[in-house]
Amino acid sequence: MKYVPVLAKRTMFTYFIIMFLLYLFYTINFCIVDKQPTLKTILKSHISKYKSGAFRFASFLGLDVADYKYTRLSRNAGPVRRLPDALIIGVKKCGTRALLEFLRLHPDVRAAVSEIHFFDKYYHKGFEWYRERMPLTLEGQITMEKTPSYWVTKSAPKRVYAMNPSMKLLAVVRDPVTRAISDYTQSASKRPSLAPFEQLALSNRSGCSAVDPTWAPVRLGVYARPLRRWLRRFRRDRLLLVNGERLVADPAAEMAKVQDFLGLKRVITEKHFYFNSAKGFPCLLKSESSSSPHCLGKTKGRNHPRIDPTALKRLREFYRPLNEIFYRLSGINFGWP
């Protein structure tokens, strides 16, 4: 009696084969005699109806089809929109745009076209709204987004952590004095009537000029405060501080660190860059959208205005102790003057 189930399964399997052969013979005859659509078309239209039944039948016979189904899914899976795996969270005027454009060279990186501002302005719209603004990616590719204002948004670390506690974060930092001047230069290009840098950066207190820590271009250069906020939520190994000066002076070396951090193969190398002496900035020999050499745009590499040496000295004195705090917190000495 113990052989009955085995014999029954064999009988059913034989019956299944016979029925399949009869169906195949019928389909071929249907195509040849009646001049209907091709065999390939007929089979394609009918196979989906019998696929689930075939899997159930195979399972009944004791065959494991889970691996086969997973392999087929992985092989045929198309591009989908996913929530980001990594974020460029800042810092404004430190080279975030350059970092993103350099990363676009990598075939396993796809990034949102523009700054989404989800975690600072549009969080109330929900994760599905955010997902819809992400690029299409294949399995194994990294989805990225860049919004520099996340760095200083107090609620951003908590919100990012709620979405993905394993998020990889990248922040580009540079000499805060140079960053402040670059910030001012961008604003002045849009507002020609803007007061001189020295007048905005320094305030007269008791007849003595002192740095105004409330002025946004100065305040953004105090990196320790936002970093401490992000480290309350994320482990230090989840946040990479990219050296903005090195990104300009030796982009290939700095991008090697970035690729390692993201778990990517080192595809972006020296062959992708050339230095534009007129702009004082590295440009791309090719990019995701173009195979010809090009730079990041007219707004990148602007000439900074001449700043009074006294103002520069005051700013350096102001930032020096704050930079030391940042070095200790980050574990990196950037060597800013």
Side-chain angles (χ1 to χ4, degrees), residues 51-67:
K51 186 181 293 184
S52 61
F55 278 127
R56 286 196 297 270
F57 183 74
S59 298
F60 177 74
L61 293 176
L63 301 175
D64 186 6
V65 296
D67 291 341

Side-chain angles (χ1 to χ4, degrees), residues 184-195 200 215:
Y184 168 82
T185 303
Q186 182 183 50
S187 299
S189 68
K190 300 175 182 178
R191 297 167 53 197
S193 60
L194 193 64
L200 296 170
W215 187 42

Side-chain angles (χ1 to χ4, degrees), residues 4-175:
V4 172
V6 176
L7 291 174
K9 287 184 179 180
R10 288 178 178 175
T11 302
M12 292 183 68
F13 181 76
T14 303
Y15 178 78
F16 176 82
I17 295 298
I18 293 172
M19 292 299 294
F20 176 77
L21 292 174
L22 288 173
Y23 175 77
L24 185 62
F25 176 79
Y26 167 79
T27 303
I28 295 173
N29 183 69
F30 184 72
C31 293
I32 295 175
V33 176
D34 296 333
K35 297 182 180 181
Q36 295 294 330
T38 64
L39 174 62
K40 182 178 179 180
T41 304
I42 297 295
L43 290 175
K44 188 175 181 180
S45 64
H46 285 275
I47 195 167
S48 60
K49 299 178 183 179
Y50 299 95
K51 186 181 293 184
S52 61
F55 278 127
R56 286 196 297 270
F57 183 74
S59 298
F60 177 74
L61 293 176
L63 301 175
D64 186 6
V65 296
D67 291 341
Y68 172 81
K69 291 169 73 175
Y70 176 79
T71 302
R72 294 290 299 174
L73 178 62
S74 300
R75 188 181 303 167
N76 297 329
V80 297
R81 300 188 192 279
R82 298 177 173 86
L83 290 170
D85 309 288
L87 293 174
I88 299 176
I89 58 175
V91 178
K92 179 185 177 184
K93 305 310 298 176
C94 284
T96 57
R97 168 74 185 283
L99 175 60
L100 184 64
E101 290 304 310
F102 295 169
L103 275 169
R104 287 184 191 276
L105 296 170
H106 203 291
D108 289 336
V109 173
R110 291 292 179 270
V113 176
S114 59
E115 296 175 6
I116 307 299
H117 287 279
F118 176 66
F119 295 105
D120 58 347
K121 293 183 180 179
Y122 302 112
Y123 190 69
H124 63 281
K125 292 182 178 289
F127 292 142
E128 285 307 311
W129 178 90
Y130 190 34
R131 189 197 307 271
E132 285 301 312
R133 277 141 189 85
M134 292 298 109
L136 293 169
T137 54
L138 296 170
E139 188 70 30
Q141 290 182 320
I142 290 177
T143 303
M144 293 195 69
E145 190 244 321
K146 173 189 81 77
T147 301
S149 55
Y150 293 162
W151 175 254
V152 292
T153 301
K154 292 182 179 180
S155 57
K158 180 180 179 180
R159 291 171 173 179
V160 174
Y161 188 86
M163 186 186 79
N164 183 2
S166 299
M167 181 71 74
K168 291 189 175 182
L169 308 166
L170 298 102
V172 190
V173 293
R174 68 192 292 198
D175 177 2

Side-chain angles (χ1 to χ4, degrees), residues 287-307:
S287 68
E288 182 184 38
S289 59
S290 175
S291 59
S292 59
H294 76 285
C295 293
L296 298 180
K298 295 180 180 179
T299 62
K300 302 302 174 184
R302 293 188 188 94
N303 292 323
H304 290 177
R306 181 186 179 280
I307 306 299

